[in-house]
Amino acid sequence: MHTLNVALGHRSYPIHIGAGLLGRSDLLLPHIHGRQVLVVSNETVAPLYLDALIGALSGYHVATCILPDGESFKDLQHLDRIFTCLLEQRFNRDCTLIALGGGVVGDMTGFAAAAYQRGVDFIQVPTTLLAQVDSSVGGKTGVNHALGKNMIGVFKQPNVVLIDTDVLTTLPARELKAGLAEVIKYGLIRDLPFLAWLEQNIPGLLAGDASLLAEAIRQSCENKAAVVAADELEKSDLRALLNLGHTFGHAIETGMGYGAWLHGEAVATGMLMAADLSMRLGWLSADDVLRVRTLLVRAGLPVDPPQMAVEEFLQHMSVDKKVKEGRLRLVLLQALGHAVVSEAPPELLCATLSAGSALGVLK
Ligand code: NAD
Ligand code: GLY
């Protein structure tokens, strides 16, 4: 087992990564302070892993809240179900919420924990690769709005993140690939040696090699923890760099209808769009962009944006959280391994948005 630390002063917390951690009460119980525990999961994950987790909680008053599965249920209406479960059980302020699931369950559970009685404890037990390498760490929580992705939420750090790598054996291949998009992101924004490691090991990762996946999770969490420790609340542009590809990607997710494209798929295409725009700005070479494209394609990720009008892209992008004084700012690449937040000339942005399948292959 590897243990990393997210260094946030008195709110610091460990990330435990290893096989068979789900039932490890010794890792969970030190972070639960009252006797009431609500495990939030969904109808896909609960039948697979709820019993093992509950087995580690003997002696506690454990209730469960099982949500419908899907990004399209990550909304205020379904968030309310968690509050109903808490109130029906008469849970009080010393209760703990445990998120057992992917990023959707994690984001919703964290938001509920932040709001219930003005804040109760919360633990992340992520079960997708994407949640293990990204969403479970760092305390961004929230839900979607019909008009914008992740537009309603708060920062709420968990007490501990428990990453059981065994659960990845049941993850559908498409979800594993979507998680790899966020893994590749760390290489592109700040860790060139990791990018090269990924290029070498992508076949093994896709084949589900457990030790390679554990190593990818460890390196991703190390990168994420370092960024979060330096800029927890995204006050500077540092944490915003974690959003490479997300402004384009969120526009795809919102525009195509939540759930049509997986978050990681939209981020993958968005990262190539960001690389393409960086090339148009003269920062990346065509070979650099081809290198990004090749890795994403080898990881089985989509690189062609959907048929969406430039105006529609721009409309969805205009509600991005990085917009300042009405001006769109994007995460772009000054070099591979070195991301920056920058505005872009409208004509270059429009060229990227209208490039379609030519994206990233212009010479
Ligand atoms: P998800 O939560 O929808 O999970 C993907 C699918 O895998 C679901 O059908 C789920 O039921 C299933 N699943 C989960 N674990 C499984 C397992 N072990 N075996 C079999 N099936 C399993 O999607 P996701 O990709 O985990 O997360 C995407 C969400 O995370 C998006 O809403 C995105 O906005 C959010 N996100 C948040 C942050 C953050 O910092 N908070 C970062 C990145 C993404
Ligand atoms: N996933 C982006 C962030 O946590 O900041």
Side-chain angles (χ1 to χ4, degrees):
M1 180 178 87
H2 282 290
T3 298
L4 307 173
N5 181 46
V6 184
L8 292 170
H10 69 282
R11 288 174 298 103
S12 297
Y13 55 92
I15 306 170
H16 300 299
I17 306 166
L21 303 194
L22 205 56
R24 288 276 299 269
S25 50
D26 58 318
L27 301 177
L28 268 180
L29 301 191
H31 303 281
I32 299 177
H33 304 300
R35 307 308 296 172
Q36 299 172 321
V37 179
L38 180 74
V39 181
V40 181
S41 191
N42 74 20
E43 56 203 13
T44 304
V45 177
L48 295 170
Y49 300 115
L50 189 58
D51 285 350
L53 181 64
I54 289 179
L57 296 167
S58 70
Y60 287 75
H61 172 189
V62 181
T64 56
C65 177
I66 308 303
L67 299 169
D69 183 3
E71 184 75 36
S72 59
F73 302 109
K74 186 180 158 181
D75 56 18
L76 284 171
Q77 189 193 335
H78 291 86
L79 180 75
D80 192 52
R81 289 212 194 169
I82 305 179
F83 298 129
T84 303
C85 290
L86 288 162
L87 286 162
E88 280 175 352
Q89 295 288 326
R90 307 211 183 301
F91 271 27
N92 42 49
R93 273 189 139 167
D94 63 1
C95 72
T96 298
L97 271 60
I98 303 182
L100 174 69
V104 170
V105 166
D107 281 11
M108 294 178 76
T109 307
F111 191 13
Y116 186 64
Q117 299 197 10
R118 301 197 182 86
V120 298
D121 285 344
F122 133 78
I123 288 173
Q124 287 273 20
V125 183
T127 62
T128 62
L129 180 62
L130 185 141
Q132 296 185 343
V133 299
D134 191 356
S135 62
S136 64
V137 175
K140 279 191 181 176
T141 73
V143 294
N144 301 327
H145 188 280
L147 298 179
K149 169 91 183 136
N150 288 342
M151 276 295 143
I152 304 162
V154 294
F155 286 97
K156 166 76 178 171
Q157 299 295 342
N159 292 9
V160 61
V161 181
L162 196 63
I163 299 179
D164 184 341
T165 50
D166 283 347
V167 303
L168 297 179
T169 53
T170 55
L171 194 65
R174 186 178 169 197
E175 299 290 349
L176 188 82
K177 293 172 193 167
L180 284 174
E182 301 278 18
V183 174
I184 292 168
K185 174 187 80 179
Y186 295 111
L188 291 175
I189 62 171
R190 69 190 302 276
D191 194 342
L192 204 49
F194 186 38
L195 190 72
W197 183 88
L198 288 168
E199 286 171 329
Q200 279 205 322
N201 290 295
I202 210 76
L205 291 164
L206 282 171
D209 180 304
S211 66
L212 289 178
L213 283 168
E215 178 60 14
I217 294 164
R218 186 186 67 76
Q219 295 210 41
S220 299
C221 287
E222 260 176 17
N223 273 294
K224 177 117 194 207
V227 172
V228 169
D231 182 19
E232 180 189 5
L233 304 179
E234 211 164 302
K235 292 286 185 205
S236 71
D237 283 338
L238 185 59
R239 184 163 181 171
L241 301 181
L242 294 172
N243 278 327
L244 177 68
H246 284 58
T247 305
F248 297 108
H250 285 168
I252 294 173
E253 285 185 85
T254 310
M256 301 312 287
Y258 296 127
W261 280 54
L262 300 183
H263 176 71
E265 294 172 342
V267 166
T269 298
M271 290 194 298
L272 187 64
M273 297 176 88
D276 179 276
L277 182 50
S278 304
M279 174 178 71
R280 292 175 197 272
L281 281 158
W283 294 346
L284 291 189
S285 68
D287 283 347
D288 288 334
V289 185
L290 208 51
R291 186 173 165 191
V292 177
R293 192 181 212 278
T294 302
L295 181 57
L296 294 171
V297 169
R298 288 178 67 217
L301 287 160
V303 289
D304 294 337
Q307 297 280 330
M308 211 161 90
V310 170
E311 294 69 31
E312 193 183 349
F313 258 112
L314 290 172
Q315 190 196 327
H316 292 307
M317 291 166 80
S318 70
V319 294
D320 187 83
K321 292 190 273 311
K322 286 180 294 302
V323 170
K324 260 192 192 160
E325 294 167 5
R327 295 156 81 109
L328 180 60
R329 297 167 339 118
L330 293 157
V331 183
L332 298 170
L333 294 170
Q334 276 197 335
L336 296 185
H338 180 50
V340 292
V341 176
S342 170
E343 292 183 28
E347 65 279 10
L348 296 187
L349 175 58
C350 287
T352 291
L353 293 177
S354 50
S357 59
L359 198 69
V361 291
L362 295 183
K363 292 273 180 186

